[in-house]
Amino acid sequence: MSYLRPFYAKVYAVVSKIPKGKVATYQQVARLAGNSKAFRAVGTAMKNNPDMKTIPCHRVVGSDGRMHGYSAGEGVNTKITMLTDEGVTFVGDRVQLAISQWKG
DNA sequence: CATTTGACAGGAA
DNA sequence: CTTCCTGCCAAAT
């Protein structure tokens, strides 16, 4: 583990705690990380993702259950596939947050 | 210290 | 429903 920035470290910690079959929004992760308004930095942290083995960034989606990008595989395509395989309820390109959102 | 960037969110047209 | 603009934050340069 390399040296992580204060906020990033918290973000990675939170994301790594997201259970399988559930998803969290960038806003929620930001809130659990200590700053509900830092969802921007959260996205940046995901892109930086130092250890995608321990950081399920695919379980982090947008506020409307939609996703914006993914640094691995075929991008969003892989992201949706992985979530679906984990049991997350999808409707089109959108995740049913009402059912699959993680409760911190 | 100033500027730029980005996997966002919310609102307006 | 789609598209554009604004506000916000942390990190990098």
Side-chain angles (χ1 to χ4, degrees), chain A residues 26 39-40 63 68 71:
Chain A
Y26 291 94
F39 41 81
R40 281 266 198 186
S63 61
H68 294 264
S71 305

Short mmCIF file of all heavy atoms in Angstrom, two decimals, chain A residues 26 39-40 63 68 71, chain B residues 5-10:
data_model
loop_
_atom_site.label_atom_id
_atom_site.label_comp_id
_atom_site.label_asym_id
_atom_site.label_seq_id
_atom_site.Cartn_x
_atom_site.Cartn_y
_atom_site.Cartn_z
N TYR A 26 -21.92 8.14 -5.21
CA TYR A 26 -20.72 8.95 -4.95
C TYR A 26 -21.01 9.89 -3.78
O TYR A 26 -20.17 10.13 -2.94
CB TYR A 26 -20.34 9.77 -6.19
CG TYR A 26 -19.84 8.91 -7.31
CD1 TYR A 26 -20.69 8.46 -8.31
CD2 TYR A 26 -18.50 8.53 -7.36
CE1 TYR A 26 -20.23 7.67 -9.35
CE2 TYR A 26 -18.02 7.73 -8.40
CZ TYR A 26 -18.90 7.31 -9.40
OH TYR A 26 -18.44 6.52 -10.41
N PHE A 39 -18.17 14.70 -3.36
CA PHE A 39 -18.43 13.59 -4.29
C PHE A 39 -17.54 13.73 -5.53
O PHE A 39 -17.25 12.77 -6.20
CB PHE A 39 -19.90 13.52 -4.66
CG PHE A 39 -20.53 14.85 -4.91
CD1 PHE A 39 -20.38 15.49 -6.13
CD2 PHE A 39 -21.29 15.47 -3.91
CE1 PHE A 39 -20.98 16.72 -6.36
CE2 PHE A 39 -21.90 16.69 -4.15
CZ PHE A 39 -21.73 17.32 -5.37
N ARG A 40 -17.11 14.95 -5.82
CA ARG A 40 -16.21 15.18 -6.95
C ARG A 40 -14.90 14.45 -6.70
O ARG A 40 -14.42 13.71 -7.54
CB ARG A 40 -15.93 16.66 -7.08
CG ARG A 40 -17.05 17.35 -7.74
CD ARG A 40 -16.78 17.46 -9.22
NE ARG A 40 -17.66 18.47 -9.72
CZ ARG A 40 -17.81 18.78 -10.97
NH1 ARG A 40 -17.13 18.15 -11.87
NH2 ARG A 40 -18.64 19.68 -11.31
N SER A 63 -25.86 9.45 -8.53
CA SER A 63 -27.00 9.73 -7.66
C SER A 63 -28.30 9.14 -8.19
O SER A 63 -29.18 8.80 -7.42
CB SER A 63 -27.15 11.23 -7.49
OG SER A 63 -27.39 11.82 -8.75
N HIS A 68 -21.01 6.67 -14.72
CA HIS A 68 -20.36 7.61 -15.63
C HIS A 68 -19.14 7.02 -16.30
O HIS A 68 -18.82 7.35 -17.42
CB HIS A 68 -20.00 8.88 -14.86
CG HIS A 68 -21.20 9.61 -14.39
ND1 HIS A 68 -21.75 10.66 -15.10
CD2 HIS A 68 -21.99 9.44 -13.30
CE1 HIS A 68 -22.82 11.11 -14.44
NE2 HIS A 68 -22.99 10.38 -13.37
N SER A 71 -12.62 2.51 -14.95
CA SER A 71 -11.23 2.46 -15.41
C SER A 71 -10.78 1.08 -15.86
O SER A 71 -9.69 0.93 -16.38
CB SER A 71 -10.31 2.94 -14.29
OG SER A 71 -10.71 4.24 -13.87
P DT B 5 -7.75 21.77 -18.11
OP1 DT B 5 -7.21 21.20 -19.36
OP2 DT B 5 -8.92 22.67 -18.14
"O5'" DT B 5 -8.07 20.56 -17.14
"C5'" DT B 5 -7.01 19.70 -16.71
"C4'" DT B 5 -7.54 18.59 -15.80
"O4'" DT B 5 -7.75 19.10 -14.47
"C3'" DT B 5 -8.87 17.99 -16.27
"O3'" DT B 5 -8.81 16.58 -16.21
"C2'" DT B 5 -9.88 18.52 -15.27
"C1'" DT B 5 -9.02 18.68 -14.03
N1 DT B 5 -9.51 19.67 -13.06
C2 DT B 5 -9.45 19.34 -11.72
O2 DT B 5 -9.03 18.28 -11.31
N3 DT B 5 -9.91 20.31 -10.86
C4 DT B 5 -10.39 21.54 -11.21
O4 DT B 5 -10.77 22.32 -10.33
C5 DT B 5 -10.43 21.83 -12.62
C7 DT B 5 -10.95 23.15 -13.09
C6 DT B 5 -9.98 20.89 -13.47
P DG B 6 -9.64 15.74 -17.31
OP1 DG B 6 -8.74 14.83 -18.00
OP2 DG B 6 -10.55 16.60 -18.11
"O5'" DG B 6 -10.56 14.89 -16.32
"C5'" DG B 6 -9.97 14.05 -15.32
"C4'" DG B 6 -11.03 13.67 -14.28
"O4'" DG B 6 -11.15 14.76 -13.36
"C3'" DG B 6 -12.41 13.44 -14.93
"O3'" DG B 6 -12.92 12.16 -14.58
"C2'" DG B 6 -13.28 14.55 -14.37
"C1'" DG B 6 -12.53 15.01 -13.13
N9 DG B 6 -12.71 16.43 -12.83
C8 DG B 6 -12.91 17.44 -13.71
N7 DG B 6 -13.08 18.61 -13.16
C5 DG B 6 -12.97 18.35 -11.81
C6 DG B 6 -13.06 19.23 -10.70
O6 DG B 6 -13.26 20.44 -10.68
N1 DG B 6 -12.89 18.56 -9.49
C2 DG B 6 -12.66 17.22 -9.37
N2 DG B 6 -12.52 16.75 -8.13
N3 DG B 6 -12.57 16.38 -10.40
C4 DG B 6 -12.74 17.02 -11.58
P DA B 7 -13.11 11.19 -15.83
OP1 DA B 7 -11.86 10.45 -16.06
OP2 DA B 7 -13.69 11.97 -16.93
"O5'" DA B 7 -14.16 10.16 -15.25
"C5'" DA B 7 -15.52 10.22 -15.68
"C4'" DA B 7 -16.41 9.65 -14.59
"O4'" DA B 7 -16.03 8.29 -14.33
"C3'" DA B 7 -16.33 10.42 -13.29
"O3'" DA B 7 -17.65 10.64 -12.82
"C2'" DA B 7 -15.56 9.52 -12.35
"C1'" DA B 7 -15.93 8.12 -12.91
N9 DA B 7 -14.88 7.13 -12.64
C8 DA B 7 -13.56 7.19 -12.96
N7 DA B 7 -12.88 6.13 -12.61
C5 DA B 7 -13.82 5.33 -11.99
C6 DA B 7 -13.75 4.06 -11.39
N6 DA B 7 -12.65 3.35 -11.31
N1 DA B 7 -14.88 3.56 -10.87
C2 DA B 7 -16.00 4.26 -10.95
N3 DA B 7 -16.20 5.45 -11.49
C4 DA B 7 -15.05 5.93 -12.01
P DC B 8 -18.48 11.92 -13.15
OP1 DC B 8 -19.36 11.50 -14.20
OP2 DC B 8 -17.66 13.12 -13.29
"O5'" DC B 8 -19.33 12.11 -11.83
"C5'" DC B 8 -18.90 11.57 -10.58
"C4'" DC B 8 -19.74 12.20 -9.46
"O4'" DC B 8 -19.43 13.59 -9.41
"C3'" DC B 8 -21.24 12.08 -9.72
"O3'" DC B 8 -21.94 11.87 -8.49
"C2'" DC B 8 -21.60 13.40 -10.30
"C1'" DC B 8 -20.61 14.35 -9.67
N1 DC B 8 -20.26 15.45 -10.58
C2 DC B 8 -20.49 16.76 -10.16
O2 DC B 8 -20.97 16.95 -9.04
N3 DC B 8 -20.20 17.77 -11.01
C4 DC B 8 -19.68 17.52 -12.21
N4 DC B 8 -19.41 18.55 -12.99
C5 DC B 8 -19.42 16.19 -12.63
C6 DC B 8 -19.72 15.20 -11.81
P DA B 9 -23.56 11.75 -8.58
OP1 DA B 9 -23.99 10.89 -7.46
OP2 DA B 9 -23.95 11.42 -9.96
"O5'" DA B 9 -24.05 13.24 -8.26
"C5'" DA B 9 -23.70 13.85 -7.02
"C4'" DA B 9 -24.54 15.08 -6.76
"O4'" DA B 9 -24.07 16.16 -7.57
"C3'" DA B 9 -26.03 14.88 -7.09
"O3'" DA B 9 -26.81 15.53 -6.11
"C2'" DA B 9 -26.17 15.51 -8.46
"C1'" DA B 9 -25.10 16.61 -8.44
N9 DA B 9 -24.50 16.86 -9.75
C8 DA B 9 -24.05 15.96 -10.68
N7 DA B 9 -23.51 16.52 -11.74
C5 DA B 9 -23.60 17.87 -11.49
C6 DA B 9 -23.19 19.00 -12.22
N6 DA B 9 -22.58 18.95 -13.39
N1 DA B 9 -23.43 20.21 -11.69
C2 DA B 9 -24.04 20.29 -10.50
N3 DA B 9 -24.46 19.30 -9.72
C4 DA B 9 -24.21 18.10 -10.27
P DG B 10 -28.38 15.45 -6.13
OP1 DG B 10 -28.86 15.33 -4.74
OP2 DG B 10 -28.80 14.46 -7.15
"O5'" DG B 10 -28.80 16.91 -6.67
"C5'" DG B 10 -28.25 18.06 -6.05
"C4'" DG B 10 -28.76 19.30 -6.76
"O4'" DG B 10 -27.99 19.51 -7.97
"C3'" DG B 10 -30.23 19.17 -7.17
"O3'" DG B 10 -30.92 20.36 -6.83
"C2'" DG B 10 -30.17 18.96 -8.67
"C1'" DG B 10 -28.87 19.65 -9.07
N9 DG B 10 -28.23 19.06 -10.25
C8 DG B 10 -28.11 17.74 -10.57
N7 DG B 10 -27.48 17.53 -11.70
C5 DG B 10 -27.15 18.80 -12.14
C6 DG B 10 -26.46 19.22 -13.31
O6 DG B 10 -25.97 18.54 -14.21
N1 DG B 10 -26.34 20.60 -13.37
C2 DG B 10 -26.83 21.47 -12.43
N2 DG B 10 -26.62 22.77 -12.66
N3 DG B 10 -27.48 21.09 -11.33
C4 DG B 10 -27.61 19.75 -11.25
#
